[in-house]
């Protein structure tokens, strides 16, 4: 994201006191730096970068898989709604990453450290009353994992470089995509392509494809990881590279991986389709003769990053994309969608759902994710009663941790979280609590699928990265238990026509298994194993 450069107020004569030994010493004021960080984080919470919108729009046009096209339509419409409403693209508003290049001719007018100023910017952004962002950071990951309430601290990288400006690249990285980060120490003669193609299918769809892959090659273990992350800050330009042709080994590898990863057929949200990645980025660094460190980090449907430079003339101003940058895509539930009354749901009705069926949920939907599941299962295993108002018999649960509402909103953006984290609780929730349907994002693992089949339940998938769109289907919300867990409390939502897809049916058939296999065969560039 480029910065609209303000008119320079810098003096033009070398007699100015900041002109020392032939170059300027730029003074960066505390408030300018903090407010620039805060503004940029607010900005990226609701504006996708234009290159991402363009690439996703083109992928939507090319897509031939109907479920994947439907998911992309939801993400594009969600993107436009967020831009118009200035509300987050996703309920997971991310962990803040900041890459700073600080010029050696820069001096600071501040009583705070650079990191303290960055964190003050994060604090202001995430608690902004007009657009509260979800605080997701917990301190002491080994301890009580207490939420810091303002999304601090950020993860900050500093580089001191020649020059008299401060260059800032920042991102809000979703936890679902971060959780799929991979690293390997290959032998120099090993194939990076083979490792990537073997690894991507193990990542499932919890990283909310389509997105980008950042790959760091060389250096040491930690250097490769940082490069993989940093590479994701660059704009999407694979089609320009395709047109120009590769001139370096890294560019050759980008093109090869782009084609072969998409040939895996994983598709949007893992439903099977032509586009899994919109670009593959690579950064490399010299390494030890015996090593080939390779790190791979995906970026999700909520790709959020900005870039600005401070030159001492005031805070950065980011240029908002024009609404004409969004493709003219309007998502609506297809005529074949099945309306479901959650208040009178029966196991017999659930048993009739087929994999890939599109459902519109209506009625009362309980929520719960990691922390709530842990407490519920602890209570059930001790034979204790669930909290008053929490009755899962013949009910559906939604794995979600919504953003707090603002203004007259019932709830803030409320998209699904990664379901596999709830797999280990599924047997107890189906077998003892009486649940018959679950709503989340991406695939289920073998343990959960076995329980779904055993109890004749179903798993329904909502689109990760379409949180603001989904929240419009929630007409009422109240906390019914575990209020102390904040966004992880158990809510009861009243939903109207909430769109979901049957991802695992009562017989245990999973669209995340069948969809990619089918599209890998159709694309026909990777051998498909015969089951
Ligand atoms: S799009 Fe998916 S992975 Fe990305 S922040 Fe949202 S839920 Fe997380």
């Amino acid at each position: 994201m480029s910065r609209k450069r303000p008119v320079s107020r810098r003096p033009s004569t070398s007699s100015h006191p900041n002109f020392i030994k032939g170059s300027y010493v730029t003074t960066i004021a505390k408030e300018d730096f903090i407010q620039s960080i805060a503004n940029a984080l607010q900005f990226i919470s609701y504006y996708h970068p234009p290159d991402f919108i363009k690439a996703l729009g083109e992928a939507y046009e090319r897509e031939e898989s109907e479920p994947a096209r439907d998911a992309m339509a939801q993400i594009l419409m969600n993107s436009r709604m967020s831009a118009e409403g200035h509300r987050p693209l996703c309920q997971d508003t991310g962990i803040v990453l900041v890459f700073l290049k600080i010029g050696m001719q820069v001096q600071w007018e501040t009583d705070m450290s650079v990191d303290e100023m960055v964190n003050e910017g994060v604090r202001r952004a995430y608690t902004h009353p007009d657009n509260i962002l979800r605080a997701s950071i917990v301190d002491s990951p080994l301890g009580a994992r207490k939420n810091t309430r303002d999304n601090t601290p950020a993860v900050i990288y500093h580089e001191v470089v020649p020059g008299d400006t401060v260059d800032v690249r920042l991102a809000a990285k979703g936890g679902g995509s971060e959780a799929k980060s991979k690293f390997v120490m290959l032998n120099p003669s090993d194939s990076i392509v083979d490792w990537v193609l073997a690894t991507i299918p193990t990542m499932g769809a919890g990283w909310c494809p389509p997105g980008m892959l950042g790959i760091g090659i060389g250096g040491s273990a930690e250097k490769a990881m940082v490069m993989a992350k940093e590479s994701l800050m660059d704009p999407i330009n694979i089609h320009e590279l395709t047109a120009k042709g590769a001139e370096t080994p890294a560019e050759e590898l980008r093109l090869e991986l782009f084609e072969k990863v998409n040939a895996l057929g994983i598709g949007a949200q893992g439903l099977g389709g032509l586009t899994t990645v919109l670009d593959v980025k690579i950064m490399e660094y010299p390494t030890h003769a015996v090593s080939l460190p390779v790190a791979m980090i995906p970026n999700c449907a909520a790709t959020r990053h900005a870039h600005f430079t401070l030159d001492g003339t005031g805070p950065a101003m980011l240029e908002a994309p024009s609404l004409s940058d969004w493709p003219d895509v309007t998502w609506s539930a297809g005529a074949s969608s099945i309306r479901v009354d959650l208040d009178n749901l029966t196991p017999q009705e659930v048993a009739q759902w087929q994999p890939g069926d599109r459902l519109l949920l209506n009625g009362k939907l309980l929520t719960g994710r990691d922390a709530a599941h842990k407490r519920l299962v602890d209570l059930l295993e001790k034979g204790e009663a669930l909290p008053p108002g929490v009755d899962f018999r013949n009910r559906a649960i939604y794995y979600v941790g919504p953003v707090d509402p603002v203004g007259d909103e019932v709830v803030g953006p409320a998209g699904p979280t990664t379901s596999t984290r709830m797999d280990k609780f599924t047997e107890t929730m189906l077998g003892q609590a009486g649940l018959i349907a679950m709503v989340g994002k991406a695939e289920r693992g073998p343990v959960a699928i076995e329980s779904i089949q055993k109890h004749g339940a179903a798993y329904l998938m909502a689109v990760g990265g379409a949180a603001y769109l989904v929240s419009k289907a929630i007409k009422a919300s109240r906390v019914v238990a575990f209020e102390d867990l904040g966004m992880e409390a158990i809510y009861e939502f009243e939903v109207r026509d909430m769109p979901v897809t049957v991802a695992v049916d009562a017989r245990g058939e999973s669209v995340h298994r069948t969809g990619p296999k089918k599209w890998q065969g159709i694309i026909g560039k990777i051998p498909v194993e015969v089951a």
Side-chain angles (χ1 to χ4, degrees), residues 192-509:
I192 294 173
V193 173
D194 287 354
W195 177 74
V196 170
L197 294 183
T199 305
I200 298 274
T202 70
M203 289 160 47
W207 59 283
C208 293
M212 296 161 74
L213 286 182
I215 299 184
I217 302 170
S220 51
E222 81 287 357
K223 176 73 179 171
M225 289 304 280
V226 175
M227 287 191 296
K229 183 61 66 60
E230 196 174 354
S231 72
L232 293 169
M233 312 291 277
D234 283 344
I236 293 172
N237 62 1
I238 196 82
H239 295 303
E240 284 91 321
L241 178 60
T242 307
K244 159 181 103 64
E247 289 169 5
T248 65
E251 288 181 346
E252 262 173 42
L253 185 56
R254 276 183 69 196
L255 291 178
E256 183 177 358
L257 286 174
F258 180 71
E259 186 188 352
K260 290 186 171 170
V261 170
N262 282 324
L264 290 170
I266 292 166
Q269 303 287 305
L271 291 165
L274 298 179
T275 298
T276 304
V277 288
L278 301 171
D279 201 345
V280 178
K281 296 294 184 189
I282 293 179
M283 278 181 83
E284 56 176 330
Y285 195 81
T287 192
H288 194 285
V290 304
S291 311
L292 182 55
V294 185
M296 178 166 65
I297 303 181
N299 214 358
C300 58
T303 284
R304 295 167 287 211
H305 56 86
H307 180 194
F308 60 86
T309 304
L310 295 177
D311 61 5
T313 57
M317 292 155 61
L318 296 169
E319 193 171 358
S322 157
L323 285 182
S324 63
D325 291 341
W326 275 264
D328 192 14
V329 175
T330 306
W331 177 85
S332 62
S336 58
S337 296
I338 303 164
R339 279 216 160 72
V340 172
D341 175 5
L342 291 173
D343 299 336
N344 292 295
L345 195 59
T346 62
Q348 292 72 25
E349 185 178 354
V350 169
Q352 287 171 14
W353 296 340
Q354 300 297 316
D357 277 355
R358 291 196 207 147
L359 310 180
L360 294 171
L361 304 182
N362 287 273
K364 292 187 171 51
L365 181 62
L366 287 165
T367 77
R369 41 173 285 169
D370 310 53
H373 272 77
K374 172 86 176 74
R375 282 196 195 173
L376 290 167
V377 168
D378 283 350
L379 288 171
L380 289 166
E381 285 178 351
K382 282 190 257 168
E384 293 178 14
L386 297 183
V390 178
D391 183 352
F392 288 107
R393 283 171 297 175
N394 286 351
R395 301 287 298 271
I397 195 169
Y398 182 25
Y399 303 146
V400 64
V403 178
D404 285 344
V406 298
D408 57 5
E409 285 178 350
V410 166
V411 67
T417 196
T418 306
S419 303
T420 44
R421 294 201 313 275
M422 265 51 77
D423 281 5
K424 64 182 176 188
F425 305 117
T426 299
E427 176 56 31
T428 311
M429 292 298 289
L430 300 184
Q432 291 190 45
L435 203 62
I436 53 173
M438 299 152 283
V439 184
K441 79 165 195 201
E443 71 285 347
R444 302 308 298 257
V447 171
I449 291 177
E450 194 183 318
S451 296
I452 289 168
Q453 191 176 13
K454 177 172 153 195
H455 297 284
Y459 166 60
L460 314 173
M461 195 209 85
V463 173
Y468 195 40
L469 176 72
V470 171
S471 73
K472 297 300 174 196
I474 301 167
K475 303 301 175 190
S477 165
R478 67 184 182 100
V479 174
V480 291
F482 307 152
E483 191 162 8
D484 60 302
L485 294 179
M487 61 102 173
E488 294 215 44
I490 297 182
Y491 295 77
E492 185 183 74
F493 288 165
E494 182 79 35
V495 296
R496 193 182 312 146
D497 286 349
M498 177 177 161
V500 295
T501 300
V502 178
V504 181
D505 74 355
R507 289 151 292 280
E509 185 176 328

Side-chain angles (χ1 to χ4, degrees), residues 20 99 111 131 176 220 458 475 493:
I20 298 168
F99 289 88
D111 53 356
N131 179 32
S220 51
K475 303 301 175 190
F493 288 165

